[in-house]
Amino acid sequence: MRFWRWWVQNRNREADLERELRSHIEAEAEEQREAGVTSEEAAYAAQRALGNTTRIKEDVRMAWGLRWLETLIQDLSYGLRTMRRSPGLTAVAVLSLALGIGANTAIFSLMNAVMLRDLPVKNPDQLVLLGTGRASGSTDDFASTPLYSYPFYRELQQKNQVFSAVSAVLSLTFNSMHGAVGESGSLEPMDVQLVSGTYFSMLGVEPILGRAFTQADDEPAGGHPIAVVSYSWWKRRFARDPSVLGNTVRLGSTVYTIVGVTPPDFFGTTVGQSPDLWIPLSMEKQISPGWNGLDNKWFQSLDVLGRLKPGVTVTQAEANVNLLARQIWHEFAGAVLTKEQQIALKRANIQLTPAARGLSRLRFQFSLPLQILMAVVGLVLLIACANIANLLLARATTRQREIAVRMAIGAGRARLIRQMLTESFLMALCGGALGVAFAWWASEALLAMVSTGSRPLPLSVAPDGRVLLFTFLVSLITALLFGTAPALRATRLDLTPALKEGRGVASIASSSRLSKILIASQVALSLLLLIAAGLFLRTLVNLANVSTGFDKKNVLLFGIDPSDVGYKEDARLANLYGQIEQRVSAQPGVRAASISFFTFNEGGWDGPVEVEGRNLAASADNDVLHNVVGSGYFATLGIPVLFGRVFTRDDTAASPKVAVINETMARQFFPGGSPIGRRFGTGNDPKHSSDFEVVGVVKDAKYISLREKQWPAAYYPYTQNLQYYNDLDVRYSGDPKAIVAEVRRAVGQVDHNLPLTYNDTLAQQVDRSVTSQTLIARLSAFFGLLAVFLACIGLYGLMSYAVTRRTNEIGIRMALGAGKTNVLWMVMRESLTLAALGIAIGMPVALAASRLVSKMLYGLGPVDPLSMIAAAVLLLAFAALAGYLPARRAARVDPMVALRYE
Amino acid sequence: MTITKEAYNRIELLQGTLDMLILRTLVLGPAHGHEIAKHIQRTTDDVLQVEHGSLYPALHRLERKGWLTAKWETPKEGKREFKYYRLTPAGKKQLATEQSKWRLLVESIARVMGGETA
């Protein structure tokens, strides 16, 4: 309604202005006539004196204000009409923009989820983490700064002056514990996180149902079998039943009562994890008997989070925390510190890390790859921009007459440029909108690619406000990038020839020079991407060729969970392991089976050793990687035994303690002579240096990652180191599906209550250990090829256009005796020159840029001649192909037809 | 372009002074666009050329600011209707401030230029 009134008023005003200007001209003409000019002359002179009325009207309309809105509406509708008039060009442009912007949005969504998004808690900016959050697990190092003990946390909580609240979280989430809902429920996997009573109140997270934990839930140990459950678990398991409170979950032999439900967007404090249940730290022993650190000052397994008091800076807090921590550690250690302790205490420095975005090991793993990918898709978008700019340049040539006419009847250059930019924005926004839809799908696919576990990571990658803003800004920038040059170029023309001929020869020449520059830069950018892709692919190949030291083929990995069904760490547990190994090995397709603490890429347990009869230098790195395995482990993993023996049934809890070590450990700790029969102990205490007797030496292997340096490693039999172990490794032959069923049956025969999950093959586990490299290699290869494809389309378009325009010239050349080969070569040479120019520009840039990614490379330096040559050759080949098609068309020109052309 | 080829003594208007000249012209009474242009030209012995191209946008701008009002009227001796502009009280006030600013500017420039010749 309002718009209508404005429009009517506007029309009146237009008529009014027209009338006013006419009256001016008439008054002027009259005056001229009075001065003696003929009436015809006078009218003409009057018009001339006033000047360009269209322009005046434009300026007057500007003075009216609201002009911008009117202009915008005009421009938009004109833009839509232009887009409809050339549907082919519009489709190509919008689609390539959708791809480019979509790829950027998808990567950004993931980056946003992993690196940028704040936790959905109260004032996340006040949260800090003690340490850098890189470690998880437990350590008994004196004065550990990545992880903290429960007594330390309590002392800090009571004595600090800088936090309004402090809370502790166990650094490990117990993923896939098996619990039963209700009295008679069957076992199902659930993820459990142990937190201090202050956890929810410190975060400011109010449960939507029931209550959260309080400080009172921290004591006494074992006294608070309660659980707060996540919204998604409540939805999944209880269909949002409000009577969920008071229901129970049995984990192991303890029954927990559900007391609260968290809000929908809360997923805890670790990005990439989303626990189903939170349980008070006071229940640590009940949840996992191995984690019994409530009153152990040196069982350091907690992440400690604090909320800064208002006005306290991170630096102030850091000073206070470090001062306090030294006091606490000193107190814990007792009156007299050993020399090592004194050094450690002096060296210990707690760094406070802002925790607004939560903790995440994921972030450490993926921030560099994501940044690299962001750069890659950014370059792809640039290439797409160059392509569209070229299309628009070509169209600008065909639109020259239209533009000339519009300028001749008084359109200002600025106005025309603005109008053409509006068209570009319209195109970019269409591309952006499509891109968001594309990204929605792509970011889910990306998430699946980065998920190292068998389940997708619980991360929300759906576009949020920040992502949409990003996409919008990218679209705007894109439009400016591809729209500005063509708009400037199209409006800078010499009117007279443009009107006369319908084309200005000079401006075509200069616009094709601009096109050439665009193409050469596209080639340069593609070269960059191809070289990057080459580097990452070769890294992946190098990683795949790393000698693992074990045979990853034909091994299935299962998980068992004896703690969940009430086994204690006693002889019954050893018996269970033994029976499982025996039954499973007896299955027809199974060649060997073994329980183990770690298999590959599951983390590790490292610590120093003391060797009997040797005085190891205290300063040296005496760390060894430890593993606890069954007697069939080496056969299952295919690790060759070099000397001595592996474990047997005779190695029992009662027999002397034995160990099998790897070559590196043998060389490093037992130089000269056979290590068989020699003794060593774990820890720094010389009194224990004869705890284990070496009975065998096996070949070196990779343990935690493919990129690791060679660890010295020691294996111990589980019979002599009884604990809950979760890995069941099975070497098989034949059909793995049948084997999974066989193993299930065999384990069921031993204990039908024991939860058994099939996780993966060992080969998959190895592949997953290089997820970030795989991701980056695959995506950079994909985008590299896409970039080359786009660049070649651009090159092809330019050359085809050139051939069409030069048909006449080519005809003359051929009439004068130029052969088909000459013509073919003439056109080919031009496209190859452009490609070569692009490569020459791109090479030094690539050399400089590849240093930035050297951290992601393995087995090759950033300057890799093979990748560079391969990229250049591939580009030249594609450029030759893109040039050949128009060149062949040129060579087929019939001179007679060509000469008559135009 | 500050001086045209045909008449060396014709001077392009300083940026922003056109508004002041229009307001000043209208102090004498209502006038239409053509009259305003002629008046300025005549009183300055054709030294100041009013670009018609900028006259009308200026008039409309001043009208929008509320310094002028406009009405279609037929002059006593004429037969054609013209759009007559009148100064509003706000326009008078504006003219006063512009005039004092102008005076200050002229005096300052004169001081500098005088210093140069002395």
Side-chain angles (χ1 to χ4, degrees):
Chain A
M1 213 50 228
R2 196 126 159 222
F3 177 79
W4 180 246
R5 205 160 54 213
W6 172 77
W7 191 71
V8 170
Q9 190 192 336
N10 195 40
R11 279 192 49 171
N12 291 341
R13 205 154 50 169
E14 285 284 339
D16 187 86
L17 177 62
E18 176 70 42
R19 194 167 149 216
E20 185 177 13
L21 292 178
R22 214 181 319 120
S23 71
H24 178 103
I25 292 172
E26 280 162 12
E28 177 74 25
E30 206 157 307
E31 208 170 271
Q32 298 268 352
R33 271 198 298 278
E34 278 161 16
V37 186
T38 64
S39 76
E40 206 174 312
E41 276 281 299
Y44 188 58
Q47 174 72 55
R48 207 170 37 196
L50 186 60
N52 186 334
T53 44
T54 322
R55 187 65 141 275
I56 294 175
K57 279 188 208 164
E58 282 275 309
D59 291 343
V60 170
R61 283 189 209 115
M62 280 294 194
W64 288 344
L66 262 182
R67 183 67 196 130
W68 62 271
L69 182 67
E70 193 193 347
T71 315
L72 186 69
I73 292 168
Q74 267 181 12
D75 286 356
L76 283 178
S77 69
Y78 190 83
L80 275 176
R81 255 181 295 152
T82 329
M83 278 168 71
R84 256 199 316 248
R85 228 178 12 229
S86 45
L89 180 137
T90 308
V92 169
V94 168
L95 270 181
S96 46
L97 281 173
L99 267 179
I101 296 175
N104 276 272
T105 305
I107 303 280
F108 184 77
S109 300
L110 203 60
M111 238 173 129
N112 183 36
V114 174
M115 297 163 63
L116 304 174
R117 196 151 50 201
D118 278 350
L119 292 175
V121 302
K122 202 176 74 189
N123 300 338
D125 288 337
Q126 294 174 340
L127 297 180
V128 291
L129 172 76
L130 268 64
T132 53
R134 278 179 189 269
S136 71
S138 74
T139 170
D140 58 0
D141 287 356
F142 177 76
S144 135
T145 52
L147 295 170
Y148 304 88
S149 70
Y150 184 76
F152 178 93
Y153 152 68
R154 289 306 297 270
E155 290 279 316
L156 182 84
Q157 184 189 26
Q158 281 151 24
K159 292 183 179 161
N160 85 83
Q161 288 141 25
V162 288
F163 299 126
S164 57
V166 186
S167 71
V169 191
L170 193 68
S171 59
L172 284 182
T173 304
F174 291 101
N175 288 322
S176 297
M177 281 194 81
H178 286 79
V181 177
E183 312 252 304
S184 54
S186 56
L187 291 179
E188 54 192 281
M190 45 191 82
D191 297 349
V192 177
Q193 173 111 62
L194 295 182
V195 297
S196 68
T198 51
Y199 183 69
F200 293 103
S201 59
M202 183 216 62
L203 292 174
V205 171
E206 294 286 337
I208 53 165
L209 268 184
R211 70 170 181 100
F213 302 144
T214 64
Q215 182 68 55
D217 291 315
D218 272 15
E219 284 166 302
H224 300 276
I226 52 173
V228 167
V229 304
S230 78
Y231 183 89
S232 63
W233 192 74
W234 178 48
K235 186 172 132 192
R236 196 167 69 230
R237 195 56 191 70
F238 280 91
R240 293 203 197 96
D241 181 359
S243 66
V244 62
L245 301 181
N247 272 285
T248 58
V249 176
R250 186 167 48 78
L251 288 160
S253 48
T254 311
V255 175
Y256 298 83
T257 308
I258 297 173
V259 297
V261 178
T262 59
D265 51 354
F266 183 71
F267 57 86
T269 36
T270 303
V271 176
Q273 288 182 357
S274 124
D276 300 317
L277 272 68
W278 287 272
I279 286 174
L281 259 174
S282 55
M283 304 304 292
E284 191 177 31
K285 195 180 172 82
Q286 283 68 29
I287 288 292
S288 179
W291 295 81
N292 186 12
L294 288 183
D295 42 16
N296 184 340
K297 289 166 180 155
W298 301 114
F299 186 84
Q300 296 155 120
S301 62
L302 303 176
D303 283 321
V304 176
L305 285 161
R307 180 180 285 281
L308 293 173
K309 281 181 185 164
V312 172
T313 66
V314 174
T315 328
Q316 288 166 346
E318 211 164 71
N320 183 255
V321 165
N322 275 299
L323 188 73
L324 203 53
R326 288 211 178 85
Q327 285 171 13
I328 298 171
W329 285 323
H330 202 157
E331 208 174 287
F332 283 0
V336 184
L337 292 180
T338 65
K339 205 166 193 178
E340 287 82 20
Q341 285 176 328
Q342 279 173 4
I343 294 169
L345 198 61
K346 207 175 272 171
R347 210 178 283 156
N349 179 38
I350 300 176
Q351 194 189 328
L352 292 192
T353 314
R357 292 165 294 138
L359 290 92
S360 183
R361 316 305 150 205
L362 213 60
R363 205 173 288 148
F364 299 123
Q365 189 186 356
F366 284 109
S367 45
L368 183 61
L370 281 176
Q371 284 167 35
I372 292 174
L373 285 176
M374 201 71 235
V376 165
V377 290
L379 291 184
V380 170
L381 185 59
L382 267 185
I383 294 175
C385 281
N387 248 0
I388 297 165
N390 251 338
L391 282 174
L392 291 183
L393 273 180
R395 191 178 62 171
T397 349
T398 60
R399 267 173 84 177
Q400 261 181 15
R401 221 184 126 79
E402 171 206 330
I403 290 160
V405 169
R406 288 170 69 189
M407 284 176 93
I409 58 175
R413 187 172 175 216
R415 179 77 179 71
L416 274 179
I417 290 176
R418 194 165 45 162
Q419 194 251 309
M420 294 178 84
L421 277 181
T422 309
E423 278 177 48
S424 300
F425 281 127
L426 206 58
M427 231 182 239
L429 286 182
C430 287
L434 261 179
V436 168
F438 167 65
W440 206 308
W441 165 81
S443 51
E444 294 290 338
L446 271 175
L447 187 62
M449 279 177 85
V450 301
S451 300
T452 40
S454 33
R455 287 178 297 171
L457 284 170
L459 278 179
S460 162
V461 290
D464 59 8
R466 194 202 298 256
V467 171
L468 291 179
L469 182 69
F470 168 85
T471 311
F472 181 70
L473 289 179
V474 166
S475 306
L476 288 192
I477 294 168
T478 308
L480 276 180
L481 279 177
F482 72 72
T484 309
L488 290 179
R489 179 72 59 178
T491 50
R492 197 176 73 199
L493 42 79
D494 189 0
L495 285 187
T496 324
L499 282 174
K500 241 191 256 164
E501 306 279 339
R503 51 163 73 175
V505 177
S507 98
I508 281 182
S510 68
S511 85
S512 89
R513 197 178 320 126
L514 185 61
S515 299
K516 282 178 185 170
I517 294 171
L518 283 172
I519 298 278
S521 10
Q522 278 183 312
V523 172
L525 291 176
S526 318
L527 181 81
L528 221 63
L529 293 180
L530 275 186
I531 290 178
L535 289 173
F536 294 134
L537 282 174
R538 290 203 57 206
T539 294
L540 198 61
V541 170
N542 287 348
L543 283 171
N545 290 337
V546 164
S547 158
T548 55
F550 54 83
D551 178 8
K552 66 182 179 186
K553 289 194 288 289
N554 288 3
V555 178
L556 300 178
L557 306 179
F558 296 85
I560 54 169
D561 204 345
S563 73
D564 289 346
V565 284
Y567 281 90
K568 300 276 175 290
E569 292 172 321
D570 56 19
R572 221 180 120 231
L573 186 61
N575 190 39
L576 173 78
Y577 292 151
Q579 279 201 11
I580 289 175
E581 287 178 339
Q582 207 177 349
R583 290 274 178 124
V584 171
S585 312
Q587 297 302 313
V590 175
R591 309 232 306 264
S594 175
I595 299 289
S596 68
F597 192 0
F598 301 103
T599 305
F600 172 73
N601 191 229
E602 294 173 350
W605 159 30
D606 66 303
V609 293
E610 288 279 339
V611 173
E612 189 188 36
R614 278 194 73 200
N615 211 348
L616 297 176
S619 57
D621 180 11
N622 294 325
D623 274 7
V624 165
L625 208 55
H626 309 283
N627 197 358
V628 180
V629 300
S631 54
Y633 183 77
F634 303 101
T636 309
L637 271 275
I639 299 175
V641 182
L642 301 174
F643 310 105
R645 65 171 178 91
V646 296
F647 309 125
T648 66
R649 307 214 132 254
D650 299 330
D651 297 311
T652 62
S655 68
K657 289 194 162 188
V658 293
V660 167
I661 62 173
N662 72 354
E663 292 167 273
T664 300
M665 180 162 175
R667 201 168 7 175
Q668 191 174 329
F669 293 91
F670 305 99
S674 165
I676 307 289
R678 307 272 304 266
R679 296 179 162 274
F680 70 94
T682 56
N684 278 321
D685 192 351
K687 271 183 285 184
H688 287 281
S689 68
S690 55
D691 280 1
F692 301 97
E693 182 191 335
V694 178
V695 294
V697 177
V698 295
K699 254 188 97 99
D700 283 344
K702 297 285 176 195
Y703 306 104
I704 300 173
S705 83
L706 290 178
R707 308 178 70 146
E708 75 195 10
K709 56 156 182 125
Q710 186 56 55
W711 280 96
Y715 302 85
Y716 312 93
Y718 63 73
T719 45
Q720 296 177 342
N721 302 269
L722 210 51
Q723 261 190 53
Y724 295 120
Y725 300 119
N726 300 86
D727 287 9
L728 172 61
D729 313 326
V730 176
R731 174 166 293 278
Y732 68 98
S733 55
D735 175 22
K737 261 198 203 115
I739 306 292
V740 173
E742 276 176 24
V743 170
R744 255 183 217 298
R745 202 165 43 239
V747 171
Q749 281 165 3
V750 178
D751 181 342
H752 67 272
N753 281 326
L754 182 69
L756 176 86
T757 45
Y758 166 60
N759 291 332
D760 252 326
T761 66
L762 183 56
Q764 279 170 323
Q765 186 118 317
V766 172
D767 289 347
R768 287 215 179 111
S769 74
V770 290
T771 300
S772 54
Q773 276 90 359
T774 314
L775 175 83
I776 202 165
R778 277 199 210 157
L779 289 185
S780 63
F782 172 75
F783 287 121
L785 289 178
L786 183 67
V788 175
F789 179 68
L790 285 175
C792 286
I793 286 188
L795 187 57
Y796 170 79
L798 182 73
M799 294 321 293
S800 305
Y801 183 60
V803 165
T804 317
R805 259 189 34 239
R806 288 168 64 184
T807 306
N808 198 284
E809 176 206 328
I810 293 169
I812 295 173
R813 279 171 188 270
M814 290 180 89
L816 292 178
K820 280 191 190 307
T821 336
N822 287 22
V823 172
L824 194 76
W825 178 234
M826 180 182 81
V827 179
M828 289 279 286
R829 194 175 50 204
E830 200 168 335
S831 60
L832 285 177
T833 310
L834 277 179
L837 186 67
I839 290 171
I841 299 168
M843 243 351 146
V845 182
L847 271 173
S850 53
R851 274 167 221 289
L852 298 176
V853 302
S854 56
K855 256 194 195 160
M856 288 301 301
L857 304 180
Y858 180 80
L860 69 166
V863 181
D864 180 40
L866 185 63
S867 301
M868 297 183 132
I869 292 167
V873 168
L874 192 68
L875 255 179
L876 277 178
F878 272 106
L881 184 68
Y884 176 71
L885 298 173
R888 197 181 52 178
R889 193 141 26 91
R892 283 192 186 150
V893 162
D894 179 349
M896 287 321 289
V897 177
L899 287 172
R900 276 193 228 113
Y901 188 80
E902 286 186 42
Chain B
M1 175 176 82
T2 48
I3 297 172
T4 63
K5 219 183 201 172
E6 303 95 87
Y8 280 79
N9 50 357
R10 280 184 186 174
I11 300 168
E12 185 93 344
L13 280 176
L14 269 170
Q15 187 87 39
T17 41
L18 179 59
D19 286 8
M20 184 177 68
L21 293 182
I22 292 171
L23 292 175
R24 180 69 186 83
T25 307
L26 289 177
V27 169
L28 309 172
H32 57 76
H34 191 250
E35 285 176 350
I36 296 171
K38 288 293 152 193
H39 179 261
I40 294 173
Q41 240 158 291
R42 257 174 234 139
T43 40
T44 61
D45 289 330
D46 285 352
V47 172
L48 287 185
Q49 280 285 74
V50 178
E51 272 270 4
H52 297 165
S54 43
L55 175 68
Y56 284 95
L59 283 170
H60 283 256
R61 191 168 55 241
L62 295 175
E63 187 187 354
R64 191 158 168 267
K65 283 187 178 159
W67 297 335
L68 306 180
T69 53
K71 207 173 162 194
W72 285 92
E73 278 167 38
T74 319
K76 269 166 243 154
E77 65 273 23
K79 43 195 180 312
R80 212 180 349 267
E81 260 194 324
F82 283 102
K83 194 173 179 184
Y84 276 87
Y85 290 91
R86 273 182 185 76
L87 213 51
T88 64
K92 276 181 192 140
K93 216 184 272 170
Q94 176 63 20
L95 177 62
T97 45
E98 294 217 356
Q99 256 172 336
S100 63
K101 263 199 276 177
W102 172 252
R103 225 166 273 136
L104 190 65
L105 178 74
V106 171
E107 279 163 18
S108 313
I109 291 178
R111 227 171 281 149
V112 175
M113 300 309 282
E116 190 189 50
T117 47

